[in-house]
């Protein structure tokens, strides 16, 4: 069933990848009874709204370039899109970050049970990790879904992106307004919207918009501001 739905969306997955996704679903449901991981629990809906939705970036040519291998997922929560992408792209290296320890505890069980060799997990806030040398301007891609509005999200994510790398923001229909309100953030953080990719999720009558934002230079050391400040006063 999972393989079939992926194929419907022009993404071919192996039997092993299907089994990993099935196991991930089981763990998600099991742990969801103990902690808040997802409001969506029905099998079909999880496949579409979490798995397929997370996976859409693999259709993008820029993502598939072989020399772009390091990816950070900011505010990964229960592992979306990071875990799904780590399953689909075993040749890329993933760093998943979340500010809630419990979610990282869940993800460490997922990584062990699915035997994922390409995932590192970090508990922390974007504003704190973004100041650290080992994270700063280090990743080919930063991805993020459902974490914040774009002006705030840019300050959380751009400091992690390599010069000439991309921040890919998973957005929905309201994306144009968010872009409009991000002009100041784009200029302060020296980045620009390079392309917009739209994907139709016919079955669930939904649409996903991926914004490919290019980081044009090393981030000004002013950013990110200290924890809590970006949210209180977005750029
Ligand atoms: N990306 C997942 C998804 O699409 O299902 C989770 C979305 S959830 C609504 C937002 C997540 O972002 C939460 O798990 C939260 O702990 C995390 N988060 C919020 N602010 C953060 C910050 N400043 N630094 C790191 N993680 C943050």
């Amino acid at each position: 069933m999972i393989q079939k739905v992926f194929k419907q969306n022009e993404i071919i997955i192996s039997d092993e990848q299907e089994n990993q996704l099935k196991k991930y679903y089981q763990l998600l449901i099991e742990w969801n009874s103990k902690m808040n991981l997802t409001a969506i629990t029905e099998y079909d809906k999880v496949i579409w709204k979490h798995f397929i939705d997370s996976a859409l970036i693999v259709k993008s040519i820029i993502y598939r370039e072989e020399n772009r291998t390091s990816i950070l997922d900011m505010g990964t929560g229960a592992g979306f899109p990071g875990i799904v992408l780590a399953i689909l792209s075993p040749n890329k290296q993933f760093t998943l970050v979340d500010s809630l320890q419990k979610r990282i505890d869940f993800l460490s069980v997922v990584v062990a049970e699915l035997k994922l060799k390409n995932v590192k997990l970090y508990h922390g806030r974007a504003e704190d990790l973004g100041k650290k040398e080992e994270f700063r301007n280090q990743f080919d891609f930063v991805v993020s879904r459902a974490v914040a509005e774009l002006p705030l999200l840019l300050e959380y994510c751009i400091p992690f992106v390599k010069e000439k790398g991309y921040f890919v923001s998973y957005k929905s229909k309201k994306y144009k307004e968010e872009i409009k309100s991000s002009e100041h953030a784009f200029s302060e953080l020296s980045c620009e919207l390079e392309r917009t990719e739209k994907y139709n999720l016919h079955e669930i009558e939904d649409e996903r918009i991926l914004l490919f934002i290019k980081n044009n230079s090393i981030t000004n050391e002013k950013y990110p501001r200290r924890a809590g400040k970006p949210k209180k006063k977005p750029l």
Side-chain angles (χ1 to χ4, degrees), residues 74-77 80 98-100 103 124-127 145-147 156:
M74 180 52 68
T76 188
F80 304 117
D98 203 278
S99 55
L100 264 190
R103 299 203 168 128
R125 295 179 73 148
E127 304 94 306
R145 188 185 84 155
V147 172
Y156 283 170

Side-chain angles (χ1 to χ4, degrees), residues 155-217:
E155 188 169 354
Y156 283 170
C157 295
I158 291 293
F160 294 86
V161 183
K162 272 186 193 167
E163 195 175 353
K164 307 291 172 222
Y166 291 89
F167 163 44
V168 184
S169 179
Y170 282 60
K171 286 292 176 193
S172 52
K173 291 185 183 97
K174 268 178 41 201
Y175 73 102
K176 283 189 182 148
E177 292 155 40
E178 291 196 44
I179 291 168
K180 244 190 215 161
S181 59
S182 300
E183 266 176 40
H184 183 57
F186 281 128
S187 119
E188 281 295 300
L189 295 158
S190 307
C191 56
E192 64 186 332
L193 177 65
E194 190 184 89
R195 59 196 278 160
T196 302
E197 297 190 3
K198 275 191 200 179
Y199 296 97
N200 258 316
L201 296 162
H202 301 287
E203 196 83 12
I204 51 170
E205 291 174 7
D206 210 347
E207 196 178 35
R208 170 60 71 195
I209 287 99
L210 297 182
L211 305 178
F212 283 74
I213 295 158
K214 193 163 197 175
N215 186 17
N216 289 326
S217 76

Side-chain angles (χ1 to χ4, degrees), residues 3-4 27 48 60-61 69 79 106 114 116-117 154 157 162 167 187 198 205 209-210 221 223 226 230-231:
Q3 251 172 344
K4 202 176 124 201
L27 291 169
W48 277 97
S60 164
I61 295 170
T69 54
F106 163 69
L114 272 55
L116 291 171
K117 302 270 179 280
L154 287 168
C157 295
K162 272 186 193 167
F167 163 44
S187 119
K198 275 191 200 179
E205 291 174 7
I209 287 99
L210 297 182
E221 60 186 30
Y223 301 114
R226 68 182 152 76
K231 191 167 183 181

Side-chain angles (χ1 to χ4, degrees), residues 66-159:
E66 281 176 13
N67 58 339
R68 298 185 192 271
T69 54
S70 56
I71 301 173
L72 181 142
D73 181 11
M74 180 52 68
T76 188
F80 304 117
I83 291 286
V84 176
L85 294 177
I87 293 170
L88 298 184
S89 310
N91 296 329
K92 297 194 192 278
Q93 304 305 314
F94 290 83
T95 298
L96 275 48
V97 172
D98 203 278
S99 55
L100 264 190
Q101 181 65 53
K102 277 186 180 172
R103 299 203 168 128
I104 296 295
D105 295 343
F106 163 69
L107 291 174
S108 62
V109 172
V110 171
V111 167
E113 296 264 330
L114 272 55
K115 300 188 172 57
L116 291 171
K117 302 270 179 280
N118 58 342
V119 178
K120 283 188 187 153
L121 303 170
Y122 287 92
H123 168 236
R125 295 179 73 148
E127 304 94 306
D128 299 324
L129 295 179
K131 289 276 182 217
K132 298 194 172 176
E133 195 107 342
E134 65 265 39
F135 290 96
R136 217 170 152 78
N137 298 129
Q138 292 299 317
F139 296 87
D140 293 309
F141 291 105
V142 173
V143 293
S144 189
R145 188 185 84 155
V147 172
E149 297 252 319
L150 197 55
L152 173 56
L153 202 54
L154 287 168
E155 188 169 354
Y156 283 170
C157 295
I158 291 293

